[in-house]
């Protein structure tokens, strides 16, 4: 099928250092420019992002720091990219929420006025999500070929959910699945442990998604300016972030899990401080002391009394002598 185009439609995709639109940078851009006459033009460029590529991102797109260290920065190729796209409309997969905003950020940094006026944007993911709805009703129809009677009543919905899972186990038994790292497995098994692992791929800490576990099972923030950093790293850099979250409008369970990390972090700090304190030398054992010579008190001697004849006479009378 040929696209019915009035002007070119530029499909483009970005590989980046991460998923933060404001701070992450492009490491590769590929553009397929579909022309109204049915021809296609393709341009692919690798970009030096002027910042290290996190390992978790490299594992997904396969581009490491050594691959782009000699490549041009976006600023040096921004005009070339803008000229190639020209007045084309833009298309991509999840492009409205990610690729277009990131591309515009890069153009602004480079000082290139990429005019967005009167362009059309086609996000293929949105077509998919809207036409293949992800509601329980759509899943029940897709997997069980039935309509939910009394939809949105708790009992009808939960019964439908149960039957959808049974149908999924039958449909996907032995079916291959390829994850973002290219690892192929057959994860849909009739086993709760296996289903738990497969349906919790984001590994949430607090279920609200404010914190998630990374590949090392460390709690990481999943929002805001510290997104991607471990919670303990943020406490090291900005301990007041804990108080801000405790006072903020976050779910109680999020705050409970935050408290657990805070308590553990403080204990580690106390142990570190104790280990750094200089050890006090143990007191030397006391040497036994020789007993002091007992000095006898000098008795005060009474002055000598002269013996008189009367005294001798009294003694004779007393003792009968």
């Amino acid at each position: 099928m040929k696209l019915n185009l009035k002007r070119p439609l530029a499909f483009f995709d970005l590989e980046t250092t991460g998923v933060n639109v404001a701070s992450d940078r492009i490491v590769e851009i590929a553009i397929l420019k579909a022309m109204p006459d049915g021809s296609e033009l393709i341009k692919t460029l690798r970009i030096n992002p002027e910042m290290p590529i996190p390992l978790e991102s490299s594992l997904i797109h396969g581009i490491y720091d050594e691959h782009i260290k000699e490549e041009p920065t976006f600023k040096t190729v921004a005009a070339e990219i803008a000229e190639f796209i020209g007045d084309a409309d833009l298309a991509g997969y999840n492009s409205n929420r990610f690729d277009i905003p990131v591309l515009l950020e890069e153009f602004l940094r480079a000082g290139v006025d990429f005019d967005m006026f009167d362009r059309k944007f086609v996000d293929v993911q949105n077509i998919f999500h809207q036409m293949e709805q992800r509601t329980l009703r759509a899943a029940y129809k897709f997997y069980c070929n039935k309509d939910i009677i009394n939809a949105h009543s708790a009992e009808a919905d939960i019964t439908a959910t149960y039957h959808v899972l049974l149908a999924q186990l039958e449909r996907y038994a032995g079916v291959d699945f390829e994850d973002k790292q290219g690892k192929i497995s057959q994860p849909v098994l009739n086993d709760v442990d296996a289903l738990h692992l497969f349906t919790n791929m984001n590994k949430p800490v607090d279920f609200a998604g404010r914190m998630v576990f990374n590949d090392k099972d460390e709690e990481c923030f999943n929002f805001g300016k510290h997104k991607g950093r471990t919670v303990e790293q943020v406490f090291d850099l900005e301990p007041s972030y804990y108080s801000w979250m405790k006072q903020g409008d976050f779910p109680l369970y999020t705050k409970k899990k935050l408290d657990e990390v805070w308590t553990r972090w403080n204990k580690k700090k106390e142990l570190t401080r104790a280990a750094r304190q200089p050890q006090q030398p143990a007191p030397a054992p006391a040497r036994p002391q020789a007993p002091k010579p007992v000095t006898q008190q000098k008795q005060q001697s009474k002055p000598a009394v002269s013996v008189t004849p009367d005294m001798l006479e009294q003694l004779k009378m007393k003792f009968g002598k």
Side-chain angles (χ1 to χ4, degrees):
M1 175 182 289
K2 177 185 172 183
L3 283 172
N4 182 18
L5 301 175
K6 296 178 181 178
R7 62 181 178 184
L9 181 61
F11 293 82
F12 77 102
D13 183 69
L14 306 177
E15 303 299 345
T16 62
T17 58
V19 295
N20 189 310
V21 170
S23 60
D24 279 306
R25 310 295 289 269
I26 296 172
V27 297
E28 186 176 69
I29 180 170
I31 307 167
L32 185 156
K33 191 173 179 180
M35 308 299 289
D37 63 3
S39 62
E40 299 170 359
L41 303 173
I42 296 178
K43 178 182 284 290
T44 300
L45 294 171
R46 287 221 170 150
I47 310 291
N48 184 332
E50 301 180 272
M51 64 180 289
I53 305 174
L55 178 60
E56 54 267 30
S57 298
S58 293
L59 290 172
I60 293 172
H61 50 55
I63 302 172
Y64 294 81
D65 290 333
E66 60 266 26
H67 296 149
I68 46 79
K69 63 182 179 180
E70 303 298 332
E71 300 293 345
T73 64
F74 189 88
K75 186 173 184 178
T76 61
V77 296
E80 177 186 347
I81 293 171
E83 183 179 358
F84 182 79
I85 295 174
D87 66 346
D89 295 321
L90 301 176
Y93 193 87
N94 193 32
S95 50
N96 288 355
R97 290 196 302 168
F98 183 73
D99 298 84
I100 290 176
V102 171
L103 183 63
L104 292 177
E105 288 290 309
E106 291 280 28
F107 276 133
L108 288 170
R109 290 190 197 100
V112 173
D113 184 14
F114 186 72
D115 188 8
M116 296 294 287
F117 179 74
D118 200 34
R119 290 186 194 269
K120 302 298 187 293
F121 316 113
V122 179
D123 192 327
V124 176
Q125 185 187 65
N126 288 343
I127 298 174
F128 175 45
H129 284 178
Q130 293 187 80
M131 295 304 294
E132 303 294 340
Q133 295 182 28
R134 294 302 188 255
T135 64
L136 177 59
R137 180 193 289 272
Y140 194 53
K141 183 67 174 178
F142 180 79
Y143 288 108
C144 304
N145 198 27
K146 296 178 182 178
D147 291 316
I148 302 177
I149 307 301
N150 298 324
H152 302 301
S153 72
E155 184 174 338
D157 286 356
I158 203 62
T159 301
T161 302
Y162 170 60
H163 287 289
V164 165
L165 175 59
L166 295 178
Q168 287 174 327
L169 292 175
E170 289 185 9
R171 177 180 288 265
Y172 299 124
V175 175
D176 288 345
F177 170 79
E178 183 175 353
D179 64 16
K180 293 179 179 179
Q181 285 74 41
K183 181 181 178 182
I184 296 176
S185 62
Q186 297 176 353
V188 184
L189 303 174
N190 197 352
D191 177 84
V192 171
D193 289 344
L195 294 173
H196 165 78
L197 291 174
F198 186 57
T199 57
N200 288 276
M201 290 180 290
N202 290 331
K203 300 173 71 176
V205 174
D206 60 337
F207 293 101
R210 296 295 188 176
M211 294 181 287
V212 296
F213 289 106
N214 63 14
D215 293 338
K216 298 178 181 178
D217 283 332
E218 299 168 321
E219 299 92 343
C220 293
F221 285 117
N222 196 36
F223 76 100
K225 64 179 181 179
H226 291 304
K227 184 173 181 177
R229 285 196 177 113
T230 70
V231 178
E232 292 193 14
Q233 284 175 341
V234 174
F235 289 164
D236 287 335
L237 295 170
E238 189 181 347
S240 61
Y241 204 70
Y242 167 77
S243 299
W244 175 77
M245 285 193 66
K246 288 290 289 182
Q247 295 168 11
D249 187 21
F250 292 96
L252 293 177
Y253 191 71
T254 297
K255 293 180 179 181
K256 177 179 182 295
K257 302 306 289 185
L258 188 73
D259 283 338
E260 291 177 7
V261 183
W262 177 260
T263 300
R264 187 181 67 220
W265 176 78
N266 273 296
K267 286 182 179 178
K268 288 182 180 178
K269 285 291 181 184
E270 290 173 6
L271 290 173
T272 302
R273 281 194 294 266
R276 288 177 179 171
Q277 286 179 352
Q279 297 290 331
Q280 296 292 337
R287 295 181 180 178
Q289 296 182 353
K292 293 182 179 180
V294 179
T295 56
Q296 297 190 1
Q297 283 187 323
K298 294 181 179 179
Q299 296 182 353
Q300 293 182 355
S301 57
K302 295 180 179 180
V305 179
S306 301
V307 179
T308 62
D310 289 337
M311 293 172 63
L312 291 173
E313 193 63 32
Q314 288 176 2
L315 288 171
K316 287 180 181 179
M317 289 177 62
K318 183 176 181 179
F319 294 105
K321 294 184 181 180

